[in-house]
């Protein structure tokens, strides 16, 4: 069965408090060298074999349900299918 | 500057209520053909150029801070660098 990953991230102009919190914590934990951290959602979809366009279905689902178009952008990656 | 992505997912044996909620909602929204949905975190790290092993640093950060080893597993992908 095809697997399609959808990564949903805040748009660059939107503040990412979670990412900034991790960014600030890293040096205190001894990690130097991380310039920026951004945190979003990683969604894995397993698509039925009888679906002709697995990537198209994943895009439609991302558009309608997984991402808020006002503040988020998404990328779709077919993993195997 | 190198960019490394870390995807953190619940281990397969752990119940994923978020994923199941989306799975159940899809048919009611007219989407047929999605057999399974799993939802996790997608973290993008921008690493300083002077870091010799960007991937190694991302793995160490994932191990210590980004993933809970009891219930989560992570994958590290160097995007460019």
């Amino acid at each position: 069965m095809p697997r399609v990953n959808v990564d949903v991230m805040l748009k660059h102009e939107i503040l990412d408090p979670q990412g900034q919190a991790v960014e600030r914590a890293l040096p205190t934990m001894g990690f130097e060298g991380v310039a920026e951290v951004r945190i979003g959602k990683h969604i894995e979809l397993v698509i039925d074999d009888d679906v002709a366009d697995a990537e198209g279905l994943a895009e439609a689902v991302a558009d309608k349900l997984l991402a808020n178009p006002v503040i988020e952008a998404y990328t779709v990656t077919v993993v195997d299918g």
Side-chain angles (χ1 to χ4, degrees), chain A residues 15-70:
Chain A
L15 190 68
D16 177 6
Q18 281 192 52
Q20 289 183 349
V22 171
E23 230 173 271
R24 280 193 302 269
L26 288 175
T28 63
M29 297 178 71
F31 294 112
E32 300 297 340
V34 178
E36 186 184 353
V37 178
R38 297 179 64 242
I39 299 178
K41 289 174 283 194
H42 177 74
I43 299 130
E44 295 179 357
L45 303 176
V46 177
I47 309 288
D48 288 334
D49 282 324
D50 55 18
V51 172
D53 179 9
E55 187 170 4
L57 175 56
E59 294 229 357
V61 169
D63 246 5
K64 283 267 174 26
L65 186 63
L66 302 178
N68 173 345
V70 174

